[in-house]
Amino acid sequence: MAVQISPSILSADFARLAEAAAAVSNADWLHVDVMDNHFVPNLTLGLPVVESLLKATSLPLDCHLMIEDPDRWAPAYAEAGAGSVTIHAEAARAPVRTLRQIRAAGARSGFALNPATAIEPYEDLLGEIDMLLLMTVEPGFGGQRFLDVVLPKIRRARALIERHGGQIWLQVDGGVAAETIERCAEAGADVFVAGNAVYGAGDPAAAVDALRALAAGA
Ligand code: DX5
Ligand code: ZN
């Protein structure tokens, strides 16, 4: 499994997003948290900012939609040019259709589960999914404490993915830092979102390299 690091600009200065992207040019993705103040109790940014970011960076955008009605909004992010678009199981009403629309628009399809949402009911959907995102905090805010309670689900998800051919990426998001990334990698995650651990560091690029080394060595 190749380790990939996706720094979350939620922890960056929203008035300097282009600089924040440039500061992590050694990363694999730029993680963009779209929040609508309904699905989660926080409001961030939407499609116009994503469209501007696409022009401002060559990093592919990993758009994580924490919004109600992702069926309505997700395809537009893929059509705009996001490399990956992730919708939440708890919010999607027609996930098969929406995941297919994301792929049809040329992006990777992502499917996210909150900490208390089980993976097993979604096993039959794995063929529609390019990346499974397991939240390791309750979504809504950066800088929260990593929830160890999710580790057994990461292991079960990795086993399910292997049974289905091993192509699906397994992303973790929330509280991922030097102290927690090895646990996630050992459990089977291969794509790591990190907000505070990257943008809270004096040298974001060095933080990306350090996280990558820890995950690869786990
Ligand atoms: C939380 C977001 C995360 C957040 C992670 O709801 O989905 O992407 O930016 O931030 P850290 O790494 O600081 O927990
Ligand atoms: Zn996120």
Side-chain angles (χ1 to χ4, degrees), residues 6-11 31-35 40 42 64 66 88 133 135-146 172-177 193-198:
S6 188
S8 169
I9 55 165
L10 185 61
S11 297
H31 186 82
V32 181
D33 289 304
V34 177
M35 303 185 186
V40 290
N42 195 6
H64 176 195
M66 285 159 280
H88 264 265
L133 163 52
M135 291 303 302
T136 41
V137 297
E138 296 289 0
F141 301 93
Q144 299 183 78
R145 223 185 118 120
F146 180 83
V172 284
D173 181 9
V176 176
V193 177
N196 238 37
V198 169

mmCIF file of all heavy atoms in Angstrom, residues 6-11 31-35 40 42 64 66 88 133 135-146 172-177 193-198, ligand 1:
data_model
loop_
_atom_site.group_PDB
_atom_site.id
_atom_site.type_symbol
_atom_site.label_atom_id
_atom_site.label_comp_id
_atom_site.label_asym_id
_atom_site.label_seq_id
_atom_site.Cartn_x
_atom_site.Cartn_y
_atom_site.Cartn_z
ATOM 1 N N SER A 6 -2.804 13.916 2.722
ATOM 2 C CA SER A 6 -3.754 14.910 2.224
ATOM 3 C C SER A 6 -3.958 15.995 3.290
ATOM 4 O O SER A 6 -4.828 15.893 4.148
ATOM 5 C CB SER A 6 -5.077 14.187 1.897
ATOM 6 O OG SER A 6 -5.992 15.018 1.248
ATOM 7 N N PRO A 7 -3.135 17.038 3.258
ATOM 8 C CA PRO A 7 -3.264 18.107 4.273
ATOM 9 C C PRO A 7 -4.608 18.820 4.159
ATOM 10 O O PRO A 7 -5.052 19.144 3.052
ATOM 11 C CB PRO A 7 -2.111 19.057 3.934
ATOM 12 C CG PRO A 7 -1.150 18.250 3.131
ATOM 13 C CD PRO A 7 -2.003 17.294 2.351
ATOM 14 N N SER A 8 -5.229 19.082 5.306
ATOM 15 C CA SER A 8 -6.536 19.741 5.320
ATOM 16 C C SER A 8 -6.372 21.244 5.508
ATOM 17 O O SER A 8 -5.876 21.705 6.538
ATOM 18 C CB SER A 8 -7.402 19.179 6.443
ATOM 19 O OG SER A 8 -8.538 20.000 6.602
ATOM 20 N N ILE A 9 -6.864 21.993 4.519
ATOM 21 C CA ILE A 9 -6.753 23.454 4.592
ATOM 22 C C ILE A 9 -7.704 24.066 5.615
ATOM 23 O O ILE A 9 -7.678 25.272 5.828
ATOM 24 C CB ILE A 9 -6.964 24.124 3.215
ATOM 25 C CG1 ILE A 9 -8.304 23.688 2.610
ATOM 26 C CG2 ILE A 9 -5.805 23.838 2.283
ATOM 27 C CD1 ILE A 9 -8.744 24.572 1.453
ATOM 28 N N LEU A 10 -8.516 23.212 6.272
ATOM 29 C CA LEU A 10 -9.369 23.727 7.352
ATOM 30 C C LEU A 10 -8.514 24.393 8.433
ATOM 31 O O LEU A 10 -8.961 25.327 9.091
ATOM 32 C CB LEU A 10 -10.190 22.584 7.954
ATOM 33 C CG LEU A 10 -11.220 22.930 9.017
ATOM 34 C CD1 LEU A 10 -12.283 23.873 8.467
ATOM 35 C CD2 LEU A 10 -11.894 21.672 9.566
ATOM 36 N N SER A 11 -7.286 23.911 8.594
ATOM 37 C CA SER A 11 -6.396 24.469 9.621
ATOM 38 C C SER A 11 -5.488 25.560 9.067
ATOM 39 O O SER A 11 -4.615 26.051 9.786
ATOM 40 C CB SER A 11 -5.530 23.355 10.227
ATOM 41 O OG SER A 11 -6.346 22.413 10.887
ATOM 42 N N HIS A 31 -6.717 18.483 0.938
ATOM 43 C CA HIS A 31 -8.032 18.101 1.463
ATOM 44 C C HIS A 31 -8.859 19.358 1.721
ATOM 45 O O HIS A 31 -8.431 20.258 2.451
ATOM 46 C CB HIS A 31 -7.828 17.309 2.756
ATOM 47 C CG HIS A 31 -9.066 16.719 3.345
ATOM 48 N ND1 HIS A 31 -9.605 15.528 2.910
ATOM 49 C CD2 HIS A 31 -9.879 17.140 4.350
ATOM 50 C CE1 HIS A 31 -10.679 15.233 3.628
ATOM 51 N NE2 HIS A 31 -10.881 16.204 4.506
ATOM 52 N N VAL A 32 -10.047 19.406 1.126
ATOM 53 C CA VAL A 32 -10.900 20.595 1.205
ATOM 54 C C VAL A 32 -12.204 20.203 1.915
ATOM 55 O O VAL A 32 -12.994 19.419 1.388
ATOM 56 C CB VAL A 32 -11.198 21.145 -0.207
ATOM 57 C CG1 VAL A 32 -12.067 22.383 -0.118
ATOM 58 C CG2 VAL A 32 -9.901 21.443 -0.954
ATOM 59 N N ASP A 33 -12.405 20.739 3.110
ATOM 60 C CA ASP A 33 -13.573 20.403 3.922
ATOM 61 C C ASP A 33 -14.719 21.371 3.631
ATOM 62 O O ASP A 33 -14.661 22.537 4.018
ATOM 63 C CB ASP A 33 -13.213 20.464 5.412
ATOM 64 C CG ASP A 33 -12.312 19.311 5.822
ATOM 65 O OD1 ASP A 33 -12.708 18.159 5.605
ATOM 66 O OD2 ASP A 33 -11.215 19.575 6.350
ATOM 67 N N VAL A 34 -15.737 20.862 2.974
ATOM 68 C CA VAL A 34 -16.914 21.664 2.648
ATOM 69 C C VAL A 34 -17.982 21.390 3.711
ATOM 70 O O VAL A 34 -18.444 20.263 3.854
ATOM 71 C CB VAL A 34 -17.447 21.303 1.241
ATOM 72 C CG1 VAL A 34 -18.724 22.081 0.930
ATOM 73 C CG2 VAL A 34 -16.382 21.556 0.182
ATOM 74 N N MET A 35 -18.337 22.420 4.489
ATOM 75 C CA MET A 35 -19.306 22.266 5.586
ATOM 76 C C MET A 35 -20.422 23.290 5.421
ATOM 77 O O MET A 35 -20.157 24.453 5.093
ATOM 78 C CB MET A 35 -18.625 22.498 6.933
ATOM 79 C CG MET A 35 -17.436 21.594 7.197
ATOM 80 S SD MET A 35 -16.810 21.852 8.865
ATOM 81 C CE MET A 35 -15.333 20.820 8.827
ATOM 82 N N VAL A 40 -23.086 19.411 9.670
ATOM 83 C CA VAL A 40 -22.163 19.607 10.794
ATOM 84 C C VAL A 40 -22.353 21.037 11.324
ATOM 85 O O VAL A 40 -22.802 21.913 10.575
ATOM 86 C CB VAL A 40 -20.677 19.411 10.380
ATOM 87 C CG1 VAL A 40 -20.378 17.956 10.084
ATOM 88 C CG2 VAL A 40 -20.325 20.289 9.187
ATOM 89 N N ASN A 42 -20.766 23.711 11.589
ATOM 90 C CA ASN A 42 -19.700 24.625 11.190
ATOM 91 C C ASN A 42 -19.903 24.953 9.716
ATOM 92 O O ASN A 42 -20.491 24.160 8.968
ATOM 93 C CB ASN A 42 -18.332 23.966 11.417
ATOM 94 C CG ASN A 42 -17.184 24.959 11.385
ATOM 95 O OD1 ASN A 42 -17.375 26.171 11.299
ATOM 96 N ND2 ASN A 42 -15.965 24.448 11.437
ATOM 97 N N HIS A 64 -14.092 16.907 0.576
ATOM 98 C CA HIS A 64 -14.839 16.152 1.589
ATOM 99 C C HIS A 64 -16.103 16.941 1.909
ATOM 100 O O HIS A 64 -16.031 17.967 2.573
ATOM 101 C CB HIS A 64 -13.922 15.974 2.813
ATOM 102 C CG HIS A 64 -14.578 15.309 3.978
ATOM 103 N ND1 HIS A 64 -14.031 15.344 5.246
ATOM 104 C CD2 HIS A 64 -15.713 14.569 4.084
ATOM 105 C CE1 HIS A 64 -14.816 14.669 6.072
ATOM 106 N NE2 HIS A 64 -15.845 14.197 5.397
ATOM 107 N N MET A 66 -19.186 17.680 3.804
ATOM 108 C CA MET A 66 -19.947 17.471 5.041
ATOM 109 C C MET A 66 -21.169 18.366 4.963
ATOM 110 O O MET A 66 -21.278 19.405 5.623
ATOM 111 C CB MET A 66 -19.066 17.807 6.261
ATOM 112 C CG MET A 66 -18.035 16.719 6.534
ATOM 113 S SD MET A 66 -16.660 17.325 7.515
ATOM 114 C CE MET A 66 -15.728 18.135 6.222
ATOM 115 N N HIS A 88 -21.026 11.741 2.391
ATOM 116 C CA HIS A 88 -21.252 11.010 3.637
ATOM 117 C C HIS A 88 -22.419 10.039 3.534
ATOM 118 O O HIS A 88 -23.488 10.389 3.016
ATOM 119 C CB HIS A 88 -21.503 11.980 4.801
ATOM 120 C CG HIS A 88 -20.265 12.264 5.582
ATOM 121 N ND1 HIS A 88 -19.939 11.581 6.719
ATOM 122 C CD2 HIS A 88 -19.242 13.117 5.335
ATOM 123 C CE1 HIS A 88 -18.776 12.030 7.172
ATOM 124 N NE2 HIS A 88 -18.331 12.966 6.346
ATOM 125 N N LEU A 133 -13.688 6.698 3.374
ATOM 126 C CA LEU A 133 -13.164 7.607 4.401
ATOM 127 C C LEU A 133 -13.779 7.231 5.745
ATOM 128 O O LEU A 133 -15.013 7.275 5.894
ATOM 129 C CB LEU A 133 -13.518 9.063 4.040
ATOM 130 C CG LEU A 133 -13.416 10.125 5.147
ATOM 131 C CD1 LEU A 133 -12.065 10.084 5.836
ATOM 132 C CD2 LEU A 133 -13.669 11.509 4.567
ATOM 133 N N MET A 135 -14.074 8.480 9.412
ATOM 134 C CA MET A 135 -13.836 9.636 10.288
ATOM 135 C C MET A 135 -13.301 9.133 11.627
ATOM 136 O O MET A 135 -13.892 8.241 12.242
ATOM 137 C CB MET A 135 -15.122 10.430 10.521
ATOM 138 C CG MET A 135 -15.666 11.172 9.304
ATOM 139 S SD MET A 135 -14.518 12.340 8.550
ATOM 140 C CE MET A 135 -14.153 13.443 9.915
ATOM 141 N N THR A 136 -12.214 9.750 12.077
ATOM 142 C CA THR A 136 -11.629 9.378 13.368
ATOM 143 C C THR A 136 -11.843 10.492 14.403
ATOM 144 O O THR A 136 -11.216 10.478 15.463
ATOM 145 C CB THR A 136 -10.141 9.020 13.192
ATOM 146 O OG1 THR A 136 -9.527 9.952 12.285
ATOM 147 C CG2 THR A 136 -9.989 7.633 12.605
ATOM 148 N N VAL A 137 -12.746 11.429 14.072
ATOM 149 C CA VAL A 137 -13.359 12.371 15.024
ATOM 150 C C VAL A 137 -14.785 12.549 14.534
ATOM 151 O O VAL A 137 -15.114 12.193 13.399
ATOM 152 C CB VAL A 137 -12.664 13.759 15.059
ATOM 153 C CG1 VAL A 137 -11.219 13.649 15.527
ATOM 154 C CG2 VAL A 137 -12.755 14.464 13.706
ATOM 155 N N GLU A 138 -15.649 13.136 15.375
ATOM 156 C CA GLU A 138 -16.960 13.549 14.879
ATOM 157 C C GLU A 138 -16.709 14.732 13.950
ATOM 158 O O GLU A 138 -15.993 15.675 14.318
ATOM 159 C CB GLU A 138 -17.878 13.958 16.038
ATOM 160 C CG GLU A 138 -18.228 12.830 17.009
ATOM 161 C CD GLU A 138 -19.173 11.775 16.419
ATOM 162 O OE1 GLU A 138 -19.582 11.900 15.246
ATOM 163 O OE2 GLU A 138 -19.492 10.822 17.155
ATOM 164 N N PRO A 139 -17.263 14.718 12.730
ATOM 165 C CA PRO A 139 -16.908 15.767 11.772
ATOM 166 C C PRO A 139 -17.403 17.145 12.200
ATOM 167 O O PRO A 139 -18.389 17.268 12.913
ATOM 168 C CB PRO A 139 -17.610 15.306 10.487
ATOM 169 C CG PRO A 139 -18.711 14.423 10.934
ATOM 170 C CD PRO A 139 -18.223 13.758 12.192
ATOM 171 N N GLY A 140 -16.688 18.166 11.749
ATOM 172 C CA GLY A 140 -17.123 19.544 11.999
ATOM 173 C C GLY A 140 -15.982 20.499 12.308
ATOM 174 O O GLY A 140 -16.056 21.662 11.941
ATOM 175 N N PHE A 141 -14.948 20.003 12.958
ATOM 176 C CA PHE A 141 -13.886 20.907 13.407
ATOM 177 C C PHE A 141 -12.521 20.248 13.304
ATOM 178 O O PHE A 141 -12.409 19.032 13.475
ATOM 179 C CB PHE A 141 -14.131 21.337 14.860
ATOM 180 C CG PHE A 141 -15.447 22.031 15.048
ATOM 181 C CD1 PHE A 141 -16.564 21.318 15.422
ATOM 182 C CD2 PHE A 141 -15.575 23.394 14.779
ATOM 183 C CE1 PHE A 141 -17.801 21.949 15.556
ATOM 184 C CE2 PHE A 141 -16.803 24.026 14.912
ATOM 185 C CZ PHE A 141 -17.917 23.306 15.297
ATOM 186 N N GLY A 142 -11.512 21.075 13.049
ATOM 187 C CA GLY A 142 -10.137 20.601 13.107
ATOM 188 C C GLY A 142 -9.657 20.589 14.551
ATOM 189 O O GLY A 142 -10.321 21.120 15.446
ATOM 190 N N GLY A 143 -8.516 19.965 14.762
ATOM 191 C CA GLY A 143 -7.864 20.023 16.064
ATOM 192 C C GLY A 143 -8.513 19.196 17.159
ATOM 193 O O GLY A 143 -8.237 19.410 18.331
ATOM 194 N N GLN A 144 -9.382 18.248 16.796
ATOM 195 C CA GLN A 144 -10.009 17.410 17.818
ATOM 196 C C GLN A 144 -9.129 16.193 18.109
ATOM 197 O O GLN A 144 -8.258 15.817 17.340
ATOM 198 C CB GLN A 144 -11.381 16.917 17.351
ATOM 199 C CG GLN A 144 -12.385 18.004 17.058
ATOM 200 C CD GLN A 144 -13.734 17.396 16.683
ATOM 201 O OE1 GLN A 144 -14.493 16.952 17.541
ATOM 202 N NE2 GLN A 144 -14.025 17.362 15.386
ATOM 203 N N ARG A 145 -9.427 15.557 19.246
ATOM 204 C CA ARG A 145 -8.681 14.370 19.664
ATOM 205 C C ARG A 145 -9.087 13.153 18.852
ATOM 206 O O ARG A 145 -10.265 12.886 18.651
ATOM 207 C CB ARG A 145 -9.013 14.109 21.132
ATOM 208 C CG ARG A 145 -7.843 13.760 21.974
ATOM 209 C CD ARG A 145 -8.368 13.424 23.352
ATOM 210 N NE ARG A 145 -8.015 12.042 23.611
ATOM 211 C CZ ARG A 145 -7.263 11.665 24.611
ATOM 212 N NH1 ARG A 145 -6.836 12.547 25.477
ATOM 213 N NH2 ARG A 145 -6.948 10.404 24.771
ATOM 214 N N PHE A 146 -8.100 12.407 18.411
ATOM 215 C CA PHE A 146 -8.279 11.148 17.672
ATOM 216 C C PHE A 146 -9.105 10.152 18.488
ATOM 217 O O PHE A 146 -8.870 9.980 19.688
ATOM 218 C CB PHE A 146 -6.896 10.572 17.381
ATOM 219 C CG PHE A 146 -6.909 9.273 16.634
ATOM 220 C CD1 PHE A 146 -7.023 9.244 15.256
ATOM 221 C CD2 PHE A 146 -6.777 8.067 17.314
ATOM 222 C CE1 PHE A 146 -7.017 8.042 14.571
ATOM 223 C CE2 PHE A 146 -6.770 6.859 16.638
ATOM 224 C CZ PHE A 146 -6.891 6.854 15.258
ATOM 225 N N VAL A 172 -8.256 8.021 6.484
ATOM 226 C CA VAL A 172 -8.652 8.404 7.845
ATOM 227 C C VAL A 172 -8.545 9.921 7.967
ATOM 228 O O VAL A 172 -7.670 10.543 7.369
ATOM 229 C CB VAL A 172 -7.798 7.713 8.935
ATOM 230 C CG1 VAL A 172 -8.220 6.257 9.110
ATOM 231 C CG2 VAL A 172 -6.307 7.822 8.642
ATOM 232 N N ASP A 173 -9.467 10.496 8.754
ATOM 233 C CA ASP A 173 -9.561 11.961 8.845
ATOM 234 C C ASP A 173 -10.013 12.337 10.254
ATOM 235 O O ASP A 173 -11.111 11.955 10.677
ATOM 236 C CB ASP A 173 -10.572 12.448 7.796
ATOM 237 C CG ASP A 173 -10.743 13.965 7.791
ATOM 238 O OD1 ASP A 173 -9.969 14.666 8.475
ATOM 239 O OD2 ASP A 173 -11.651 14.438 7.080
ATOM 240 N N GLY A 174 -9.152 13.109 10.935
ATOM 241 C CA GLY A 174 -9.501 13.611 12.265
ATOM 242 C C GLY A 174 -8.504 13.184 13.310
ATOM 243 O O GLY A 174 -8.370 11.994 13.596
ATOM 244 N N GLY A 175 -7.767 14.147 13.842
ATOM 245 C CA GLY A 175 -6.809 13.838 14.906
ATOM 246 C C GLY A 175 -5.612 13.026 14.445
ATOM 247 O O GLY A 175 -4.909 12.440 15.282
ATOM 248 N N VAL A 176 -5.384 12.991 13.130
ATOM 249 C CA VAL A 176 -4.228 12.239 12.614
ATOM 250 C C VAL A 176 -2.983 13.119 12.769
ATOM 251 O O VAL A 176 -2.923 14.235 12.268
ATOM 252 C CB VAL A 176 -4.442 11.826 11.140
ATOM 253 C CG1 VAL A 176 -3.199 11.140 10.593
ATOM 254 C CG2 VAL A 176 -5.673 10.925 11.017
ATOM 255 N N ALA A 177 -2.001 12.608 13.503
ATOM 256 C CA ALA A 177 -0.796 13.369 13.842
ATOM 257 C C ALA A 177 0.327 12.375 14.093
ATOM 258 O O ALA A 177 0.125 11.156 13.985
ATOM 259 C CB ALA A 177 -1.060 14.199 15.097
ATOM 260 N N VAL A 193 -5.454 12.196 6.162
ATOM 261 C CA VAL A 193 -5.764 13.619 6.209
ATOM 262 C C VAL A 193 -5.146 14.174 7.490
ATOM 263 O O VAL A 193 -5.240 13.542 8.546
ATOM 264 C CB VAL A 193 -7.285 13.859 6.228
ATOM 265 C CG1 VAL A 193 -7.605 15.348 6.359
ATOM 266 C CG2 VAL A 193 -7.930 13.267 4.978
ATOM 267 N N ALA A 194 -4.531 15.332 7.394
ATOM 268 C CA ALA A 194 -3.998 15.964 8.605
ATOM 269 C C ALA A 194 -4.124 17.469 8.468
ATOM 270 O O ALA A 194 -3.628 18.057 7.501
ATOM 271 C CB ALA A 194 -2.537 15.568 8.825
ATOM 272 N N GLY A 195 -4.815 18.085 9.404
ATOM 273 C CA GLY A 195 -4.998 19.524 9.395
ATOM 274 C C GLY A 195 -4.043 20.201 10.352
ATOM 275 O O GLY A 195 -3.018 20.761 9.955
ATOM 276 N N ASN A 196 -4.379 20.109 11.621
ATOM 277 C CA ASN A 196 -3.550 20.733 12.655
ATOM 278 C C ASN A 196 -2.107 20.255 12.634
ATOM 279 O O ASN A 196 -1.185 21.046 12.837
ATOM 280 C CB ASN A 196 -4.154 20.397 14.031
ATOM 281 C CG ASN A 196 -4.492 21.646 14.787
ATOM 282 O OD1 ASN A 196 -4.927 22.633 14.195
ATOM 283 N ND2 ASN A 196 -4.269 21.607 16.093
ATOM 284 N N ALA A 197 -1.914 18.962 12.396
ATOM 285 C CA ALA A 197 -0.557 18.398 12.435
ATOM 286 C C ALA A 197 0.319 18.953 11.314
ATOM 287 O O ALA A 197 1.542 18.936 11.415
ATOM 288 C CB ALA A 197 -0.619 16.878 12.347
ATOM 289 N N VAL A 198 -0.309 19.469 10.236
ATOM 290 C CA VAL A 198 0.463 20.047 9.130
ATOM 291 C C VAL A 198 0.508 21.574 9.257
ATOM 292 O O VAL A 198 1.590 22.172 9.336
ATOM 293 C CB VAL A 198 -0.128 19.631 7.756
ATOM 294 C CG1 VAL A 198 0.504 20.436 6.630
ATOM 295 C CG2 VAL A 198 0.069 18.136 7.531
HETATM 296 C C1 DX5 B 1 -13.103 17.507 10.385
HETATM 297 C C2 DX5 B 1 -12.533 17.570 8.994
HETATM 298 C C3 DX5 B 1 -11.082 17.285 8.964
HETATM 299 C C4 DX5 B 1 -10.232 18.247 9.744
HETATM 300 C C5 DX5 B 1 -9.155 17.439 10.354
HETATM 301 O O1 DX5 B 1 -14.486 17.422 10.334
HETATM 302 O O2 DX5 B 1 -13.169 16.652 8.128
HETATM 303 O O3 DX5 B 1 -10.603 17.161 7.624
HETATM 304 O O4 DX5 B 1 -9.652 19.255 8.975
HETATM 305 O O5 DX5 B 1 -8.383 18.274 11.157
HETATM 306 P P1 DX5 B 1 -7.323 17.692 12.201
HETATM 307 O O6 DX5 B 1 -6.311 16.927 11.419
HETATM 308 O O7 DX5 B 1 -6.778 18.923 12.842
HETATM 309 O O8 DX5 B 1 -8.086 16.802 13.152
#
